[in-house]
Amino acid sequence: LQPRDLLSPWVPPQLLACHLAARCRQLDEHQQSLVQDSCDNLKEINRLRHLISQLSAKLEVVDVRSVQSTQKQTEVVETLRTLR
């Protein structure tokens, strides 16, 4: 039955009660599904945050090495210039 049909005074109260109980069960199941999805999403967010933290730390190490390499390259170039 459509919800508007349930508002008729000729609908037995038991039918209305059954309909409402079924709708409550559906909404409860949907809410539980949303709660589970939210928990899963939070776990994924935390996993990704941890991964980002690890990648940022690795990037900082690579940046330091890059700067050191550039400095060493500059020193080598200067040394070669003085030897010529």
Side-chain angles (χ1 to χ4, degrees), residues 4-52:
R4 68 173 193 269
D5 296 333
L6 293 172
L7 296 176
S8 167
W10 296 281
V11 173
Q14 295 87 353
L15 181 61
L16 185 57
C18 287
H19 177 76
L20 289 175
R23 183 68 179 141
C24 286
R25 275 193 303 277
Q26 288 174 343
L27 291 173
D28 188 51
E29 290 170 1
H30 185 66
Q31 181 182 15
Q32 291 301 321
S33 173
L34 291 174
V35 167
Q36 184 60 46
D37 289 347
S38 293
C39 288
D40 292 345
N41 289 339
L42 287 174
K43 287 177 186 176
E44 180 70 5
I45 287 169
N46 288 330
R47 186 188 71 77
L48 292 173
R49 283 183 178 161
H50 182 70
L51 181 62
I52 288 169

Side-chain angles (χ1 to χ4, degrees), residues 24-83:
C24 286
R25 275 193 303 277
Q26 288 174 343
L27 291 173
D28 188 51
E29 290 170 1
H30 185 66
Q31 181 182 15
Q32 291 301 321
S33 173
L34 291 174
V35 167
Q36 184 60 46
D37 289 347
S38 293
C39 288
D40 292 345
N41 289 339
L42 287 174
K43 287 177 186 176
E44 180 70 5
I45 287 169
N46 288 330
R47 186 188 71 77
L48 292 173
R49 283 183 178 161
H50 182 70
L51 181 62
I52 288 169
S53 175
Q54 289 177 328
L55 291 174
S56 294
K58 287 180 181 182
L59 182 59
E60 287 177 16
V61 170
V62 169
D63 284 345
V64 169
R65 287 182 186 165
S66 178
V67 168
Q68 290 171 347
S69 176
T70 302
Q71 289 172 344
K72 187 66 175 176
Q73 184 180 10
T74 302
E75 291 173 13
V76 169
V77 168
E78 290 300 318
T79 303
L80 287 175
R81 282 188 189 158
T82 61
L83 293 175

